[in-house]
Amino acid sequence: MKVSLFITCLADVFYPEVGRATVELLERLGCEVDFPVAQTCCGQPAFNSGFHREAKKAARHMIETFAHADYVVAPSGSCTAMLKEYVHLFSEEDEREWQEKARALAEKGYELTQFLVEILRVEDVDATLPVKATYHRSCHMTRLLGVKDAPMKLLSNVKGLSLTELPCAHDCCGFGGTFSVKMAPISQQMADEKVSHIKETNAEVLIGADCGCLMHLDGRIRRQGKPIRVMHIAQVLQSGLEQEGR
Amino acid sequence: MGMQFGDVVFYRRVDKGIRDQFMRNAVRAAQERMRTSRLRAAEELGDWEEWRQLGEEIRRHTLEHLDFYLKQLSDRVHELGGHVFFAQTAEEATAYIRDVVQKRDAHRIVKSKSMVTEEIGLNTALEAIGCRVVETDLGEYILQVDDNDPPSHIVGPSIHKDRERIRQVFAEKLGYTGSAAPEEMTAFVRQQLRPDFLTAEVGITGCNFAVAESGTVCLVTNEGNGRLVTSLPPVHIAVMGMERIVPTWEELEVMVGLLCRSAVGQKLTSYINCLTGPRAAGEVDGPEEFHLVIIDNGRSDILGTEFQSVLQCIRCGACLNVCPVYRHIGGQAYGSIYSGPIGAVLSPLLGDEELYRELPYASSLCAACTEACPVKIPLHELLIQHRQKTAEKERQSPLGERLAMKAFGMVFESPRLYRWGTKLARTALRPWEEDGVIRQGPGPLQPWTSIRDLPSPKRETFREWFENRRKRGEQP
């Protein structure tokens, strides 16, 4: 199966290891991985700030970049949800053509764990990670994209992983893209509450499926000097198998 | 008081909220309680999503035919012997109500269940003509006694106070000597209010829903005071926002069920009072005179716009009970009687747009509000709509952000610029790097690094790794 990767700008620049794990994982599961180099960003920062003209530029570019793909897979629930938002972004009468193209992209867009469970029909990827961990369910992935169970199914089959449920898991971590800098004092309070819940679980590792939330929480955890490691779910699912994958 | 209150600078109100640890604990506890009971009540009902769907359809249908239902409602009330007044503005509404009060030479007024009278600043207008206006809902009463402290929640206006603080307020202002036990304090308030109910010349209420086909005003309360306000004084004035209509009793049943479950997690409340016209011949209770004041005050400007769905709101407060931003800053930080996510959408539409321009940004767009709304208002999407409006009025958007977004548009359209930008960022940030992170970033990074570390851009981006790997022939 041929898979076109959308690595997201945060993963590209700050967390290339998340992209690497995604590639290795998909290849190990028998996928042929394609990375369209023209890709940039999904346009979410502009869209959520109300700059829809700029968001459309990014959207058109992404639609064209992935026009050839069978499946578009991203290690991010939030950016995948944005790909699906393009359909609504092109809502004017004279944008029918773009709306159709956007619909085509939306139909083949998948978040990584969603793709593994729904399309590849894999729930056990034979990973091993003997740590005590907790999982942060990001809002856009669960509420906007509607992916709730896939990460849990996959994590429950990781050998040695002891997963404790995060208290108040339904609450936002306070990242929210530009919100994190525009409303920094509120964002900080939200992060601190989330970190205190993470601490309650005694987890050594915090797992998440969105680099945005993870960057925000990791940044706050480091600033507070807490001994909690942050990992993207792609890295967890590739744990213990890095050698095979290379 | 009117719709607006507090310091005009939003960030100062936020700071005040964040520093008020007492308020935050009270709000957190209340949120958790209400959220849990709402979910339990929804589960008990079963098919919650279908009920929400139905609720949304009813509200949407009513709004799309609002002119028809308003006429039907008004005709029915007239037929029953009541008076109807359509007020375009807050001033028109208060002037009419003042007039009714003055014609009766009334000075003692009891009130219940009304946000819209807050919105139009009715108490101030009535006090200016020498009336004594007593709020009889317990939460509103506490606020009124506490020197008109502003409300902080749509359903529980004094949610920011706990029982001990309420005891203090009663002790200071009313000479209360009892304990902080809720039973004892409510018994005390009951004694305080009884003479007001018995001597009031006019009773003023809001209206949860008006039934168009029968000309009925429906009040949903838990305290029973609504029943006294509407039946003891000789005059009853009901004040409603023009959108608070349901076509028939059948839809009323659905909406009341959704309201009670979403607001407080109850199947139904203790009292659902349905009032149809003034006292008729042979009836034992009800007012001699009934007025229905239907308020526009900016609502018809929302009809037919991208914000129309906000008028579906039934004021249940469910969105506040799940909002993490609301939890940390409190309702008073919104500076409007409509707080939380619904307030952030509604206040700039009904109130001074400039004064409330930050509210739509006070959201992480986590969509918990949209998920909780029983009538499916896409609240987080409407917040983005507000931001879009602001962005389009270029003069209003901060220059820095505007330029950043322009650059964003250029960079993300061009893979070459994007690649160059990421390389530049990596090199430029090197001096600030320390153990793989940036602790105190320069310029635009400051708001991020003021509270958290930023990972430094990696030596090899993903795309470089991918290309190098291909060159090395490692790709299977």
Side-chain angles (χ1 to χ4, degrees), chain A residues 18-42:
Chain A
V18 170
R20 289 206 296 271
T22 306
V23 172
E24 287 161 2
L25 178 63
L26 287 169
E27 284 177 350
R28 188 158 61 75
L29 296 171
C31 296
E32 187 195 329
V33 176
D34 150 57
F35 178 76
V37 288
Q39 64 181 270
T40 56
C41 163
C42 63

Side-chain angles (χ1 to χ4, degrees), chain A residues 90-103:
Chain A
F90 296 107
S91 56
E92 305 289 324
E93 271 298 307
D94 57 351
E95 292 176 326
R96 283 278 162 76
E97 197 188 326
W98 280 106
Q99 197 181 39
E100 278 317 303
K101 289 182 186 173
R103 204 180 307 278

Side-chain angles (χ1 to χ4, degrees), chain A residues 5 7-21 23-24 35-40 246, chain B residues 412 415-427 429-430 433 455-472:
Chain A
L5 283 182
I7 281 303
T8 84
C9 49
L10 282 188
D12 182 31
V13 177
F14 294 108
Y15 299 104
E17 61 275 18
V18 170
R20 289 206 296 271
V23 172
E24 287 161 2
F35 178 76
V37 288
Q39 64 181 270
T40 56
R246 288 258 156 103
Chain B
F412 292 113
R416 210 165 44 84
L417 271 179
Y418 170 87
R419 186 181 286 245
W420 177 77
T422 56
K423 273 189 182 157
L424 180 73
R426 188 168 55 195
T427 317
L429 288 175
R430 211 157 282 165
E433 242 184 79
S456 48
K458 293 289 155 48
R459 298 269 179 268
E460 188 185 46
T461 59
F462 171 81
R463 69 186 53 228
E464 286 164 347
W465 171 81
F466 196 88
E467 280 163 29
N468 291 337
R469 178 177 183 251
R470 191 160 44 197
K471 280 183 206 149
R472 290 194 300 265

Side-chain angles (χ1 to χ4, degrees), chain B residues 338-360:
Chain B
Y338 302 113
S339 54
I342 184 68
V345 176
L346 200 55
S347 305
L349 295 171
L350 291 185
D352 180 342
E353 204 180 337
E354 190 49 33
L355 185 70
Y356 294 123
R357 67 184 298 271
E358 283 96 356
L359 294 191

